[in-house]
Amino acid sequence: MTNERNSRPHRGGHALFPYNCSDMLTIESRIRFLFDERIVGVIRTRTASDALHVVKALVAGGFKAVEVPMTVPDAVNVLKELVQTVGDGVMVGAGTVMTAADARACIEAGCQFIVAPSAEFEIIRPCREAG
C-alpha cells in the first residue's frame, strides 16, 4: 500500500501515515517526518483537560504531529497521556521547553521532539543523549 500524498510505501498503522512513531529512533527520521507532514498542531490551552480534548480532535481530523507547550498547565502529564493514547501514527512533542529538567521530563514522558525558544546547550544535551 502507498501513501496517497506522495506514493511512499505504507509502513505505519494508517494508510496515509507511513511511519510508526514509536519505532522512530533516529533524529533524521523524526526530522524527515516533520518535514513530510508540513504541519504541526501547536496546542495552547488554559487547562490540561482542554489540551487533551483539542489534541484528540486534531488527531481525529488527520493531524500526525502535535506539540503541547510547557505553558499548558500540567504539560508533562498531558504529554504522557497523549503519548499513551494517540497511537503510533502520531508524533507528540513538547514546546516552549526552557530548562534541561523540563527537557528530561518531556523525554521521559515519551515526547519524540522538543522545541525550545533558544538554542541553549543545557536543553540540547538531554535531547542529544536521548537520541
Side-chain angles (χ1 to χ4, degrees):
M1 180 179 280
T2 62
N3 179 306
E4 295 170 11
R5 286 185 285 175
N6 58 16
S7 300
R8 290 185 305 222
H10 170 66
R11 294 184 297 254
H14 187 277
L16 294 178
F17 184 68
Y19 302 101
N20 180 341
C21 287
S22 65
D23 292 340
M24 288 186 170
L25 299 177
T26 66
I27 293 168
E28 293 81 11
S29 64
R30 287 182 285 233
I31 291 171
R32 186 177 317 114
F33 167 77
L34 291 171
F35 276 110
D36 287 350
E37 283 305 307
R38 299 182 183 165
I39 188 166
V40 176
V42 179
I43 315 310
R44 293 191 186 276
T45 62
R46 292 183 180 168
T47 68
S49 176
D50 285 350
L52 291 168
H53 292 300
V54 170
V55 170
K56 289 175 184 179
L58 289 174
V59 169
F63 275 73
K64 304 293 186 254
V66 293
E67 172 191 322
V68 176
M70 295 302 289
T71 56
V72 170
D74 203 19
V76 173
N77 285 324
V78 169
L79 290 160
K80 185 182 292 187
E81 183 171 339
L82 290 172
V83 166
Q84 294 171 355
T85 61
V86 296
D88 288 339
V90 178
M91 185 178 286
V92 176
T96 319
V97 177
M98 306 284 284
T99 68
D102 283 348
R104 284 186 192 93
C106 293
I107 292 164
E108 289 173 11
C111 289
Q112 293 140 326
F113 66 93
I114 302 288
V115 177
S118 61
E120 299 290 335
F121 187 67
E122 75 171 50
I123 298 169
I124 295 169
R125 181 179 298 161
C127 297
R128 292 293 296 174
E129 289 170 356

